[in-house]
């Protein structure tokens, strides 16, 4: 692990054509890192995320994405992702391939990837149409009970990007609150970038805390408010008003482009 600047870390770790998972559930969403990907004009990315929301709407609208692997997509509490919809419905700014799973399927795929296994087995997808439209969902029969179960391939992204509250000066990373699948995606990926609110001498324990060892992380970057407009538990609150405003901004192609030029670059 090494400490570096955000532009330097993205330039080194994220390449055109990569599969990139930017994870964070409700809070600790790596927005600042996503904006740096946009600024560096990365293209042909396969974006992976359990719950693509505003940050993926921006990456898709900016033309960074070729494919999206996901389990739910929307503007939480508001409605649709209009840049995502425009890409699917109209091929703008270009066609977007999608691969849709359930939350449980995505989480198990990360776990399998982190465990060095080729696929995951779960009870799921029964009564849904997903197996008919998603070729990465299959069935297997348990060799012990004969039960038919769902099987999904492991996810091993080229790059994992997560945001956390703290890292120490040795590169160990700590996050707490709703921890989602950040640990699993980092351990499943070939390369890992972590942005943090602060770098401290020693990590103090917090309830429900998860600590990623420095050996699992390629670069740590201090980016204060790096999850805004989502929140970082214990640091700042979610900007709910921005999520409401994004609906109007993202509906119009020109309004979206103007906002991105002004706020992202």
């Amino acid at each position: 692990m090494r400490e570096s600047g955000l532009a330097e870390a993205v330039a080194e770790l994220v390449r055109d054509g990569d599969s990139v998972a930017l994870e964070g559930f409700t809070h600790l969403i790596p927005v600042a890192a996503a904006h740096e990907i946009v600024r560096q004009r990365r293209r042909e990315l396969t974006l992976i995320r359990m719950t693509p929301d505003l940050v993926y709407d921006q990456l898709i609208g900016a033309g960074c994405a070729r494919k999206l692997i996901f389990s739910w997509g929307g503007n939480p509490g508001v409605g649709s992702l209009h840049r995502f919809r425009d890409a699917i419905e109209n091929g703008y700014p270009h066609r977007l391939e999608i691969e849709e799973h359930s939350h449980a399927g995505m989480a198990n795929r990360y776990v399998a990837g982190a465990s060095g296994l080729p696929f995951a087995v779960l009870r799921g997808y029964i009564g849904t149409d997903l197996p008919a439209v998603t070729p990465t969902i299959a069935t297997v029969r348990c060799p012990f009970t004969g039960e038919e179960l769902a099987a999904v391939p492991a996810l091993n992204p080229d790059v994992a990007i997560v945001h956390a509250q703290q890292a120490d000066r040795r590169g160990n990373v700590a996050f707490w609150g709703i921890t989602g699948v950040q640990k699993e995606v980092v351990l499943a990926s070939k390369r890992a970038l972590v942005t943090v609110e602060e770098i401290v001498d020693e990590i103090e324990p917090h309830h429900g805390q998860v600590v990623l060892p420095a050996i699992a992380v390629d670069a740590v970057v201090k980016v204060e408010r790096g999850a805004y407009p989502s929140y970082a538990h214990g640091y700042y609150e979610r900007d709910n008003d921005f999520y409401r405003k994004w609906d109007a901004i993202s509906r119009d192609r020109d309004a979206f482009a103007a906002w991105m030029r002004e706020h992202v670059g």
Side-chain angles (χ1 to χ4, degrees):
M1 193 290 306
R2 56 179 176 70
E3 186 179 337
S4 64
L6 184 57
E8 176 191 359
V10 169
E12 179 179 338
L13 297 176
V14 183
R15 303 152 192 170
D16 287 351
D18 275 350
S19 57
V20 184
L22 296 94
E23 283 291 355
F25 185 72
T26 303
H27 78 142
L28 298 179
I29 298 169
V31 178
H35 286 173
E36 185 58 34
I37 291 172
V38 172
R39 283 191 288 271
Q40 296 194 15
R41 305 190 188 284
R42 291 294 181 265
R43 293 293 182 264
E44 294 290 308
L45 301 178
T46 294
L47 296 177
I48 307 170
R49 183 169 160 82
M50 285 183 63
T51 54
D53 55 6
L54 272 59
V55 69
Y56 273 39
D57 210 27
Q58 293 168 3
L59 285 162
I60 291 166
C64 299
R66 178 189 66 82
K67 180 178 179 178
L68 178 65
I69 301 173
F70 71 113
S71 55
W72 176 89
N75 184 344
V78 179
S80 291
L81 298 175
H82 299 292
R83 294 301 89 222
F84 177 23
R85 289 192 63 152
D86 204 6
I88 294 296
E89 295 173 357
N90 304 305
Y92 184 89
H94 49 70
R95 180 179 174 274
L96 181 70
E97 181 183 349
I98 61 172
E99 181 180 324
E100 187 175 359
H101 282 268
S102 67
H103 281 349
M106 287 290 290
N108 276 275
R109 294 185 72 185
Y110 281 136
V111 171
S115 303
L117 297 171
F119 67 95
V121 177
L122 67 151
R123 291 188 177 92
Y125 300 101
I126 297 171
T128 77
D129 293 329
L130 285 176
V133 297
T134 305
T136 49
I137 301 170
T139 58
V140 295
R141 193 166 297 280
C142 174
F144 305 105
T145 66
E147 181 182 3
E148 189 173 88
L149 299 166
V152 288
L155 275 171
N156 292 106
D158 293 313
V159 190
I161 301 177
V162 301
H163 188 69
Q165 283 100 333
Q166 293 181 348
D168 67 19
R169 302 195 186 282
R170 295 179 297 275
N172 302 301
V173 174
F175 52 96
W176 57 91
I178 301 173
T179 53
V181 293
Q182 286 98 314
K183 175 187 73 175
E184 289 78 8
V185 70
V186 167
L187 296 178
S189 298
K190 299 172 186 174
R191 304 183 293 278
L193 164 62
V194 182
T195 56
V196 296
E197 290 296 323
E198 61 175 338
I199 295 176
V200 297
D201 292 328
E202 296 291 337
I203 293 172
E204 295 184 4
H206 291 266
H207 178 72
Q209 184 180 68
V210 173
V211 177
L212 289 168
I215 195 172
V217 179
D218 292 282
V220 172
V221 183
K222 179 182 176 181
V223 184
E224 294 180 6
R225 297 182 67 81
Y228 178 84
S230 75
Y231 71 101
H233 181 69
Y235 287 75
Y236 47 90
E237 296 181 351
R238 184 179 190 265
D239 186 349
N240 292 315
D241 188 51
F242 180 82
Y243 283 78
R244 289 189 290 267
K245 289 179 178 178
W246 184 253
D247 187 72
I249 294 167
S250 64
R251 280 180 183 271
D252 181 79
R253 293 175 183 175
D254 292 337
F256 166 78
W259 188 91
M260 293 292 285
R261 283 194 301 270
E262 180 179 355
H263 297 281
V264 179

